[in-house]
Amino acid sequence: MSDFVKSLAQSAAQIDKVASGSLYPHQSDGVAFLLSKRRVILADDMGLGKTRQAIVAMEVGAPSGKILVVCPASLKLNWKREIQLVDPEASVEVLGVDRETPDDARWIVLNYDILGKHAERLHGVNWSGVILDEAHFIRNASQRTNHCLKLLGVQAESRAPVLGPDFVFLLTGTPMTNRPKDLFNLLRCVGHPSARSFLSYAKRYCDAYRNDYGWVTTGASNLDELNLLLKEVSIRRKKEDVLDLPPKIRSWVPVDISDSAAAFNAVESFVTWYSGTDPSKPNDTEFLARLTKVRTALHKAKQKAVEERIRDVVASGEKVVVFTCFSEGIERHKAKLGDAAIMITGSDTAEKRMAAVDRFQQDETVKVALCNIIAGGVGITLTAGTHVIFQDLDWVPANHAQAEDRCYRLGQTRQVTVEYFTADGTLDGYIATLLDQKMKLIAAVEAEELPDISILREIQDGLRRLAPALMEEARAARATGDVAQRIEKLAAAQPRATADTSPLGETGQWEFASSRDPSARYLVTFGRAGHLECTCQGFGYRGNCKHVREVRGKIFDE
């Protein structure tokens, strides 16, 4: 972290309001950073206590006025519990849950799905602070994203100033879930100038190109620069850097499915159909339906192996968390395990989900948590478990990372073992390798140290070799455009050299002469939220320019 950012964190006032011993050292540093920046992305690793840091920072920075928390439905009651742990007297209203609402509650908690239902009420409040938990939920254009942007004072006009609450905290352990385009709306929310124009952003960081259907923005470019840009408006710590946690061991477990005729028939049927299709005329609906049949068949073929592994773990006296993409598998496991297992699925109410979590954490007779990888993969703590099993593989690496860290987080005192069960020699192999390459891409963007060019080239080469798997994924996600061309360009990034010197740097200002008119001068300074701004016309239109890029490299590349 640069000296500039460190000085911002140290300058935060009123931190002594927090009760002694209520925060870990890294959490105190995080609170100071949130208070100094005001609009910021808190991107700490899962399990480092982002919720606690955000609540304390709001209590210190906005001691009066109303605070809004928007989160997934499954986390609403957890937020109420955490708020009242920080301030037992806090008045909290949970929309969609509380039958008896407190009068004039200071904290309002609701889920993304009901933003539209309560829009009139929410947009009529002058919020002192807004927290978006699991903020990657707003990475795509949608009604809920529009509501969030409006609540945060983000205006439609690209160069209009960001208005709204004094404090805005975006919480996410996975700011970039898949590709650089995922970051754009998060940067808009914190007022970063690079997010004024999506097209300019996409050309710079998404390797955007135009085909017969429009702009394709699913690629990645200038990853080194994007890495530096994020450091202006976000803070991210990893568990291994700030906690003395026991190790986490991840392994891939190949499963022999040779005795499953259904699985091999499904794979053969899919390959036969797919090889006969015309790539220029994709039928996404049929493709996705056939692909789902294959994944369902592989899921069933691995059921017995997972059942045996669950028995082994339980017999050793440990608790185990099982993640799957299919409800059928959860139901079959539950039928065999009975009261020794709890289930967490997308159909559960917030109260039912919290009760299931508490049983797993506190009841010694409950040995297994059976979870949908999406519903059970965010915002809950399952540290009673020391073993994690993935029966299925999701396309998005962030979903796996989130799910793994339900067990591997603050409060865990024992080694955590994570096992991915894969059907040997099938589509699972493609997905597993694809996940590995995507994780490397994400790590390159989020890394504390700039990635070496050899790493970037390794990512690029790996993605190119995985062209068939990438094409399948793109079709499944109903991607448009020339996928082959996108694959060739994906992750084709090289670090840019910066000038050795920039005038006036010692004062926190950098002056540059115009290349067209040497008598004209442009000034780069830090804006109120800590991001870099320039007086040149290019920055005014795009929120980015060569002067800012040069200074960014000098300030944050340490």
Side-chain angles (χ1 to χ4, degrees), residues 202-228:
K203 287 179 178 179
R204 189 74 192 166
Y205 304 114
C206 304
D207 200 19
Y209 65 92
R210 193 165 192 150
N211 64 10
D212 293 339
Y213 301 96
W215 286 96
V216 178
T217 59
T218 51
S221 52
N222 295 306
L223 301 183
D224 53 329
E225 184 182 309
L226 184 59
N227 172 287
L228 297 179

Short mmCIF file of all heavy atoms in Angstrom, two decimals, residues 202-228:
data_model
loop_
_atom_site.label_atom_id
_atom_site.label_comp_id
_atom_site.label_asym_id
_atom_site.label_seq_id
_atom_site.Cartn_x
_atom_site.Cartn_y
_atom_site.Cartn_z
N ALA A 202 -14.41 0.02 -21.44
CA ALA A 202 -14.34 -1.28 -22.11
C ALA A 202 -13.19 -1.33 -23.11
O ALA A 202 -12.51 -2.36 -23.25
CB ALA A 202 -15.67 -1.59 -22.80
N LYS A 203 -12.98 -0.25 -23.83
CA LYS A 203 -11.87 -0.23 -24.78
C LYS A 203 -10.53 -0.37 -24.06
O LYS A 203 -9.60 -1.00 -24.57
CB LYS A 203 -11.89 1.08 -25.58
CG LYS A 203 -13.00 1.17 -26.61
CD LYS A 203 -12.95 2.52 -27.33
CE LYS A 203 -14.03 2.63 -28.39
NZ LYS A 203 -13.99 3.95 -29.08
N ARG A 204 -10.45 0.23 -22.88
CA ARG A 204 -9.18 0.22 -22.15
C ARG A 204 -8.93 -1.09 -21.42
O ARG A 204 -7.81 -1.61 -21.42
CB ARG A 204 -9.17 1.39 -21.15
CG ARG A 204 -7.83 1.62 -20.49
CD ARG A 204 -6.86 2.24 -21.44
NE ARG A 204 -5.49 2.20 -20.92
CZ ARG A 204 -4.41 2.44 -21.66
NH1 ARG A 204 -4.54 2.75 -22.93
NH2 ARG A 204 -3.21 2.38 -21.13
N TYR A 205 -9.98 -1.63 -20.77
CA TYR A 205 -9.76 -2.75 -19.85
C TYR A 205 -10.48 -4.05 -20.25
O TYR A 205 -10.21 -5.09 -19.67
CB TYR A 205 -10.20 -2.37 -18.43
CG TYR A 205 -9.51 -1.13 -17.92
CD1 TYR A 205 -10.22 0.04 -17.66
CD2 TYR A 205 -8.13 -1.13 -17.72
CE1 TYR A 205 -9.58 1.18 -17.21
CE2 TYR A 205 -7.47 0.01 -17.28
CZ TYR A 205 -8.22 1.17 -17.02
OH TYR A 205 -7.57 2.29 -16.57
N CYS A 206 -11.39 -3.98 -21.22
CA CYS A 206 -12.14 -5.18 -21.62
C CYS A 206 -11.80 -5.64 -23.03
O CYS A 206 -12.51 -6.47 -23.60
CB CYS A 206 -13.65 -4.92 -21.52
SG CYS A 206 -14.19 -4.38 -19.89
N ASP A 207 -10.73 -5.05 -23.61
CA ASP A 207 -10.31 -5.42 -24.95
C ASP A 207 -11.49 -5.35 -25.93
O ASP A 207 -11.69 -6.25 -26.76
CB ASP A 207 -9.71 -6.83 -24.94
CG ASP A 207 -8.84 -7.09 -26.16
OD1 ASP A 207 -8.40 -6.11 -26.79
OD2 ASP A 207 -8.61 -8.26 -26.49
N ALA A 208 -12.31 -4.32 -25.79
CA ALA A 208 -13.55 -4.21 -26.57
C ALA A 208 -13.25 -4.11 -28.07
O ALA A 208 -12.30 -3.47 -28.50
CB ALA A 208 -14.33 -2.98 -26.12
N TYR A 209 -14.07 -4.79 -28.84
CA TYR A 209 -13.99 -4.68 -30.29
C TYR A 209 -15.40 -4.76 -30.86
O TYR A 209 -16.34 -5.21 -30.20
CB TYR A 209 -13.10 -5.79 -30.88
CG TYR A 209 -13.65 -7.18 -30.70
CD1 TYR A 209 -14.46 -7.78 -31.66
CD2 TYR A 209 -13.35 -7.91 -29.55
CE1 TYR A 209 -14.96 -9.06 -31.50
CE2 TYR A 209 -13.84 -9.19 -29.38
CZ TYR A 209 -14.64 -9.76 -30.35
OH TYR A 209 -15.14 -11.01 -30.18
N ARG A 210 -15.54 -4.34 -32.09
CA ARG A 210 -16.86 -4.26 -32.72
C ARG A 210 -17.00 -5.35 -33.78
O ARG A 210 -16.08 -5.57 -34.57
CB ARG A 210 -17.05 -2.88 -33.34
CG ARG A 210 -18.49 -2.60 -33.74
CD ARG A 210 -18.70 -1.12 -34.01
NE ARG A 210 -20.10 -0.79 -34.11
CZ ARG A 210 -20.62 0.38 -33.79
NH1 ARG A 210 -19.82 1.33 -33.32
NH2 ARG A 210 -21.90 0.62 -33.91
N ASN A 211 -18.16 -6.01 -33.76
CA ASN A 211 -18.46 -6.96 -34.83
C ASN A 211 -19.81 -6.58 -35.44
O ASN A 211 -20.32 -5.48 -35.21
CB ASN A 211 -18.44 -8.40 -34.31
CG ASN A 211 -19.52 -8.67 -33.28
OD1 ASN A 211 -20.43 -7.84 -33.07
ND2 ASN A 211 -19.43 -9.80 -32.62
N ASP A 212 -20.41 -7.50 -36.19
CA ASP A 212 -21.66 -7.19 -36.88
C ASP A 212 -22.84 -6.95 -35.94
O ASP A 212 -23.86 -6.39 -36.33
CB ASP A 212 -22.03 -8.32 -37.84
CG ASP A 212 -21.04 -8.44 -38.99
OD1 ASP A 212 -20.34 -7.44 -39.25
OD2 ASP A 212 -20.97 -9.52 -39.61
N TYR A 213 -22.69 -7.39 -34.67
CA TYR A 213 -23.80 -7.28 -33.73
C TYR A 213 -23.64 -6.12 -32.75
O TYR A 213 -24.54 -5.82 -31.97
CB TYR A 213 -23.94 -8.58 -32.93
CG TYR A 213 -24.18 -9.78 -33.79
CD1 TYR A 213 -23.13 -10.60 -34.20
CD2 TYR A 213 -25.47 -10.10 -34.23
CE1 TYR A 213 -23.34 -11.70 -35.01
CE2 TYR A 213 -25.69 -11.20 -35.04
CZ TYR A 213 -24.63 -12.01 -35.42
OH TYR A 213 -24.85 -13.10 -36.22
N GLY A 214 -22.47 -5.49 -32.73
CA GLY A 214 -22.21 -4.41 -31.78
C GLY A 214 -20.89 -4.62 -31.08
O GLY A 214 -20.01 -5.34 -31.56
N TRP A 215 -20.73 -3.98 -29.93
CA TRP A 215 -19.49 -4.04 -29.18
C TRP A 215 -19.43 -5.31 -28.33
O TRP A 215 -20.38 -5.64 -27.64
CB TRP A 215 -19.34 -2.82 -28.27
CG TRP A 215 -18.99 -1.57 -29.02
CD1 TRP A 215 -19.85 -0.60 -29.45
CD2 TRP A 215 -17.70 -1.17 -29.44
NE1 TRP A 215 -19.16 0.38 -30.12
CE2 TRP A 215 -17.83 0.06 -30.12
CE3 TRP A 215 -16.42 -1.73 -29.31
CZ2 TRP A 215 -16.75 0.73 -30.66
CZ3 TRP A 215 -15.34 -1.05 -29.84
CH2 TRP A 215 -15.51 0.17 -30.51
N VAL A 216 -18.29 -6.00 -28.40
CA VAL A 216 -18.05 -7.17 -27.56
C VAL A 216 -17.09 -6.74 -26.45
O VAL A 216 -15.99 -6.27 -26.70
CB VAL A 216 -17.42 -8.32 -28.37
CG1 VAL A 216 -17.12 -9.51 -27.48
CG2 VAL A 216 -18.35 -8.71 -29.51
N THR A 217 -17.52 -6.89 -25.19
CA THR A 217 -16.78 -6.35 -24.05
C THR A 217 -16.47 -7.42 -23.00
O THR A 217 -16.37 -7.12 -21.82
CB THR A 217 -17.57 -5.21 -23.39
OG1 THR A 217 -18.85 -5.72 -22.94
CG2 THR A 217 -17.81 -4.07 -24.36
N THR A 218 -16.33 -8.66 -23.44
CA THR A 218 -16.14 -9.77 -22.50
C THR A 218 -14.67 -10.14 -22.30
O THR A 218 -14.37 -11.12 -21.64
CB THR A 218 -16.90 -11.01 -22.98
OG1 THR A 218 -16.55 -11.28 -24.34
CG2 THR A 218 -18.40 -10.78 -22.88
N GLY A 219 -13.76 -9.37 -22.88
CA GLY A 219 -12.35 -9.70 -22.79
C GLY A 219 -11.65 -9.00 -21.64
O GLY A 219 -12.28 -8.52 -20.69
N ALA A 220 -10.32 -8.95 -21.72
CA ALA A 220 -9.52 -8.34 -20.67
C ALA A 220 -8.28 -7.73 -21.30
O ALA A 220 -7.66 -8.33 -22.18
CB ALA A 220 -9.12 -9.39 -19.63
N SER A 221 -7.89 -6.55 -20.84
CA SER A 221 -6.70 -5.89 -21.36
C SER A 221 -6.19 -4.90 -20.32
O SER A 221 -6.94 -4.45 -19.44
CB SER A 221 -7.00 -5.16 -22.68
OG SER A 221 -8.12 -4.31 -22.56
N ASN A 222 -4.91 -4.55 -20.42
CA ASN A 222 -4.28 -3.59 -19.50
C ASN A 222 -4.53 -3.96 -18.04
O ASN A 222 -4.91 -3.13 -17.22
CB ASN A 222 -4.78 -2.17 -19.79
CG ASN A 222 -4.37 -1.67 -21.15
OD1 ASN A 222 -3.18 -1.68 -21.50
ND2 ASN A 222 -5.33 -1.27 -21.95
N LEU A 223 -4.31 -5.23 -17.73
CA LEU A 223 -4.60 -5.71 -16.37
C LEU A 223 -3.71 -5.05 -15.33
O LEU A 223 -4.14 -4.83 -14.20
CB LEU A 223 -4.43 -7.23 -16.31
CG LEU A 223 -5.30 -8.06 -17.25
CD1 LEU A 223 -5.07 -9.54 -17.01
CD2 LEU A 223 -6.77 -7.71 -17.05
N ASP A 224 -2.46 -4.75 -15.70
CA ASP A 224 -1.57 -4.11 -14.75
C ASP A 224 -2.12 -2.75 -14.34
O ASP A 224 -2.10 -2.36 -13.17
CB ASP A 224 -0.17 -3.96 -15.36
CG ASP A 224 -0.18 -3.28 -16.72
OD1 ASP A 224 -1.18 -3.44 -17.46
OD2 ASP A 224 0.80 -2.59 -17.06
N GLU A 225 -2.61 -2.00 -15.32
CA GLU A 225 -3.16 -0.67 -15.03
C GLU A 225 -4.44 -0.76 -14.22
O GLU A 225 -4.68 0.03 -13.29
CB GLU A 225 -3.43 0.07 -16.34
CG GLU A 225 -3.91 1.49 -16.16
CD GLU A 225 -4.19 2.15 -17.50
OE1 GLU A 225 -3.31 2.09 -18.38
OE2 GLU A 225 -5.30 2.68 -17.67
N LEU A 226 -5.30 -1.74 -14.53
CA LEU A 226 -6.53 -1.93 -13.79
C LEU A 226 -6.24 -2.29 -12.33
O LEU A 226 -6.93 -1.86 -11.41
CB LEU A 226 -7.38 -3.02 -14.45
CG LEU A 226 -8.77 -3.27 -13.85
CD1 LEU A 226 -9.61 -2.00 -13.89
CD2 LEU A 226 -9.48 -4.40 -14.61
N ASN A 227 -5.20 -3.06 -12.14
CA ASN A 227 -4.77 -3.41 -10.79
C ASN A 227 -4.44 -2.15 -9.99
O ASN A 227 -4.85 -1.99 -8.83
CB ASN A 227 -3.56 -4.35 -10.88
CG ASN A 227 -2.91 -4.64 -9.55
OD1 ASN A 227 -2.24 -3.78 -8.99
ND2 ASN A 227 -3.09 -5.86 -9.06
N LEU A 228 -3.69 -1.24 -10.60
CA LEU A 228 -3.33 0.00 -9.92
C LEU A 228 -4.55 0.89 -9.69
O LEU A 228 -4.68 1.53 -8.64
CB LEU A 228 -2.29 0.75 -10.75
CG LEU A 228 -0.94 0.05 -10.96
CD1 LEU A 228 -0.03 0.90 -11.83
CD2 LEU A 228 -0.28 -0.26 -9.64
#
